[in-house]
């Protein structure tokens, strides 16, 4: 595919026919002056070495060089943005544990870094396969949708860290369920879920999730990273993680759980340590999966072609110098002044061309610089280069698009969505515009902004109706939105029921209080007793008590005499 990056400069080609018309008028005026000088045939005989066609050829060469200079300013580019290819391979979703326990250093350099190296080596050996990436801890989310773009896979892999998920823990079941819904709908393709973890499952349900994935034709392979003996978790400041009692937390590999998970998922368990045997075992296991022809989308950048045009311009100028206006080139009638003048004009043209081309390439060079940094995993440095390119040329859709991807890699999703939206409005290529809307939809879906994600996916399908991945994400997003709406309705109904119960309880409490108040009002008021009456009642009670004691005493003495008599 061929295009011009700055086609506005092509309007300058209108000057070419104007110069040709001016040349024709000048030649016509020259012929009139020759007729005044004498008979044209006689004058031509007096100048036998003058050519009638060489001046026209020289002018045509200069005119062609000028036209090509204008084409250079328009920045011709060659390449294809997106190509669809048929490949034979498998589909693999990698679920990587990024909980704090993966920072333990019982495997060099650490469990997490060792896992990254393992996945990177696996991607290097992929040729015609598709790969996706899911990260999980206490929660799980899609880091990279399934794709054949291995460069993007490595880029997203390098940016993984435990800080990406605020909810700590290990929910393997959530990662497996999400992976089972992330494959394409194509049948007959070998589908593998690779779970990389230390086996600490805090949520449960992993075995059931692996069995469900197996029933759907997806094998679950478990890579257990670490040592069963356990190791402390570094905190980054030279110390280790401690519990509430001040004791150092030790985390070990739960191999029993990993074996059970692999058996339930129909895959295999592989222990990852400091040697390379785990890599070979994983490659052999994946080679056994069924392979089928799958469609892949390949993205490539446009390459600048101004260098080839510049070479043609230089050749035309050299040819124009070599062609003389006289018929015999061996004649010594070419003045040294004229040669120097032509050479000086060439130098001035090239000097004029150099700053113009360098100015026109400034934003493109910055984009290329950012691409190199982005491939190395330096998303922050790439962001700086892309921002400089946008400042140089705000209408550059590629700079805006790449800037959005750099922000997306740094989890700056709100800024990334804004930048990708700007890129989609500037982009003229519908396939590239569709990819921008697709990325916007992925980020909105991750943040449970399902309405915005659905609109983004629809816009992506309007520009690229053959994108099955976007269509799958759209259907999944609609289901998630439906579930969210149902949950919200249930919460609203529950809230209404709670409010109603609360109001009923308040009414009952109010009725009870009213009844108590009515009872108090119905009771007659008690008369207050005077001090003298109280003393009289107290003396009477004491006197009665005294008499009772005396009667009891007499009765006891009577019983005593009776007992003595009987005895």
């Amino acid at each position: 595919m061929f295009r011009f990056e700055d086609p506005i400069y092509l309007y300058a080609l209108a000057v070419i026919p104007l110069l040709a018309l001016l040349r024709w008028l000048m030649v016509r005026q020259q012929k009139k002056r020759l007729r005044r000088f004498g008979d044209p045939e006689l004058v031509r005989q007096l100048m036998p070495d003058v050519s009638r066609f060489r001046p026209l050829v020289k002018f045509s060469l200069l005119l062609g060089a000028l036209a090509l200079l204008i084409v250079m300013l328009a920045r011709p580019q060659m390449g294809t943005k997106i190509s669809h290819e048929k490949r034979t391979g498998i589909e693999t979703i990698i679920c990587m544990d990024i909980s704090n326990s993966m920072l333990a250093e019982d495997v060099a350099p650490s469990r997490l870094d060792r896992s990254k190296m393992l996945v990177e080596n696996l991607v290097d050996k992929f040729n015609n396969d598709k790969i996706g990436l899911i990260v999980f801890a206490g929660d799980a989310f899609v880091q990279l949708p399934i794709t054949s773009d291995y460069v993007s896979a490595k880029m997203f892999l390098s940016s993984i860290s435990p800080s990406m998920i605020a909810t700590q823990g290990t929910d393997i079941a959530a990662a497996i369920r999400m992976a089972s819904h992330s494959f394409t709908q194509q049948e007959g393709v070998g589908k593998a879920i690779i779970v990389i973890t230390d086996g600490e499952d805090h949520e449960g349900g992993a075995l059931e999730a692996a069995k469900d994935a197996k029933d759907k034709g997806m094998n679950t392979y478990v890579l257990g990273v670490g040592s069963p003996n356990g190791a402390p978790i570094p905190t980054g400041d030279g110390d280790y993680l401690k519990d509430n009692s001040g004791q150092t937390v030790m985390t070990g590999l739960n191999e029993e759980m990993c074996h059970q998970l692999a058996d339930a998922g129909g895959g295999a368990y592989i222990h990852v340590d400091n040697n390379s045997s785990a890599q070979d075992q994983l490659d052999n296991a994946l080679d056994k999966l069924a392979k089928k022809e799958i469609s892949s989308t390949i993205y490539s950048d446009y390459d600048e072609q101004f260098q080839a045009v510049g070479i043609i311009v230089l050749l035309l100028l050299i040819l124009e110098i070599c062609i003389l206006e006289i018929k015999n080139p061996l004649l010594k009638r070419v003045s040294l002044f004229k040669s120097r003048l032509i050479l000086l004009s060439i130098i001035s043209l090239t000097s004029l061309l150099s700053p113009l081309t360098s100015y026109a390439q400034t934003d493109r060079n910055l984009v290329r610089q950012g691409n190199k940094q982005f491939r190395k995993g330096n998303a922050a440095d790439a962001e700086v280069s892309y921002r400089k390119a946008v400042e140089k040329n705000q209408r550059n859709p590629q700079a805006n698009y790449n800037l959005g991807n750099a922000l997306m890699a740094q989890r700056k999703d709100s800024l990334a969505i804004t930048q990708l939206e700007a890129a989609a409005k500037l982009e003229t290529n519908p396939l590239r515009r569709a990819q921008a809307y697709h990325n916007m939809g992925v980020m909105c879906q991750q943040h449970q902004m399902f309405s915005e994600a659905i609109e983004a996916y629809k816009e992506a399908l309007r520009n690229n109706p053959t994108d099955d991945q976007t269509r799958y994400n759209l259907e999944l997003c609609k289901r998630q939105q439906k579930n969210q709406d149902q949950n919200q309705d249930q919460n609203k109904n529950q809230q209404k029921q709670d409010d109603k119960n609360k109001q009923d309880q308040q009414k009952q409490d109010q009725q009870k209080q009213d009844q108590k108040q009515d009872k108090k009002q119905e009771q007659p008021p008690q008369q207050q007793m005077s001090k003298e009456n109280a003393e009289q009642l107290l003396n009477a009670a004491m006197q009665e008590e005294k008499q009772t004691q005396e009667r009891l005493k007499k009765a006891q003495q009577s019983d005593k005499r009776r007992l003595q008599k009987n005895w």
Side-chain angles (χ1 to χ4, degrees), residues 203-467:
E203 303 297 333
L207 298 180
E208 292 76 7
K211 290 179 182 178
D212 294 340
K214 179 183 177 182
D215 296 338
K216 297 177 182 178
M218 308 166 191
N219 297 331
T220 302
Y221 299 86
V222 182
L223 302 183
V225 187
S227 172
N229 299 328
I233 303 175
T235 58
D237 55 357
D239 199 2
Y240 295 98
L241 185 66
K242 301 182 184 300
D243 56 15
N244 296 331
S245 61
Q247 299 295 325
T248 301
V249 177
M250 300 293 292
T251 173
L253 172 62
N254 188 353
E255 285 194 298
E256 181 180 359
M257 188 270 172
C258 293
H259 277 290
Q260 294 176 357
L261 185 62
D263 294 339
Y269 166 69
I270 301 174
H271 181 212
V272 179
D273 49 17
N274 290 320
N275 55 47
S276 60
S277 60
Q279 186 73 56
D280 298 334
Q281 295 178 27
L282 180 60
D283 294 339
N284 294 332
L286 295 179
D287 288 340
K288 298 177 182 179
L289 295 178
K291 296 184 178 182
K292 186 179 179 181
E293 187 179 77
I294 56 179
S295 59
S296 302
T297 302
I298 306 300
Y299 302 90
S300 60
D301 293 331
Y302 284 98
D303 294 329
E304 299 287 349
Q305 303 296 324
F306 74 94
Q307 301 92 338
V309 181
I311 293 175
I312 297 176
V313 171
L314 184 60
L315 292 176
L316 291 178
L317 292 176
I318 294 175
L319 185 60
E320 194 274 338
I321 294 174
C322 295
I323 297 177
L324 303 178
E325 292 185 358
I326 58 177
K327 293 182 180 181
N328 190 356
L330 298 178
L331 295 178
K332 300 180 181 179
R333 293 186 180 181
V334 179
S335 64
L336 183 61
F337 174 76
K338 184 177 180 180
S339 300
R340 290 180 178 179
L341 183 61
I342 295 175
L343 183 59
L344 183 62
S345 63
I346 295 174
I347 295 175
S348 9
L349 283 173
T350 54
S351 62
L352 178 62
L353 175 63
S354 178
L356 288 176
T357 55
S358 63
Y359 175 78
Q361 293 295 320
T362 300
D363 58 328
R364 181 59 182 173
N365 292 336
L366 290 171
V367 171
R368 287 185 174 180
Q369 181 181 354
N371 292 341
K372 293 179 180 179
Q373 296 167 342
F374 198 64
R375 294 188 186 100
K376 294 179 181 179
N378 300 327
D381 297 337
E383 177 188 353
V384 175
S385 300
Y386 293 143
R387 287 193 182 279
K388 291 181 179 179
V390 172
E391 291 178 358
K392 292 290 183 181
N393 183 8
Q394 297 181 356
R395 304 292 299 175
N396 189 337
Q398 186 177 3
N400 286 274
Y401 176 77
N402 291 357
L403 177 57
N405 289 335
L407 293 171
M408 181 179 176
Q410 301 177 74
R411 307 302 300 168
K412 301 177 181 179
D413 292 342
S414 58
L415 297 176
I417 291 175
T418 303
Q419 205 64 45
L420 289 173
E421 186 176 5
K425 293 179 180 179
L426 294 173
E427 184 60 56
T428 57
N429 190 327
L431 298 180
R432 185 61 175 268
R433 191 186 309 117
Q435 184 62 27
Y437 282 113
H438 177 87
N439 292 349
M440 291 166 56
V442 170
M443 286 184 287
C444 291
Q445 187 175 3
Q446 291 175 356
H447 290 279
Q448 297 184 355
M449 301 166 57
F450 298 122
S451 299
E452 293 81 356
I454 290 174
E455 293 301 324
Y457 287 141
K458 287 182 178 179
E459 192 65 30
L461 289 175
R462 291 189 187 102
N463 290 276
N464 185 14
T466 62
D467 192 346

Side-chain angles (χ1 to χ4, degrees), residues 36 107 133 184 335 380 430 465 510:
R36 294 176 183 176
V107 177
L133 185 60
T184 63
S335 64
Q510 185 65 31

Side-chain angles (χ1 to χ4, degrees), residues 19-25 27 30-31 50-64 320 323-326:
L19 293 176
L21 179 61
L22 181 62
R23 165 72 178 177
W24 180 76
L25 293 176
V27 171
Q30 184 180 12
K31 289 181 178 180
V50 175
S51 175
R52 297 176 55 185
F53 302 102
R54 292 196 180 194
L56 179 60
V57 173
K58 291 172 66 65
F59 176 76
S60 301
L61 292 175
L62 289 176
L63 209 60
E320 194 274 338
I323 297 177
L324 303 178
E325 292 185 358
I326 58 177

Side-chain angles (χ1 to χ4, degrees), residues 488-501:
Q488 290 178 354
D489 293 337
Q490 292 177 359
N491 294 334
K492 289 181 180 179
N493 294 333
Q494 185 65 30
Q495 184 66 26
K496 290 181 179 179
Q497 186 66 29
D498 294 342
D499 294 339
K500 183 178 180 181
N501 295 337

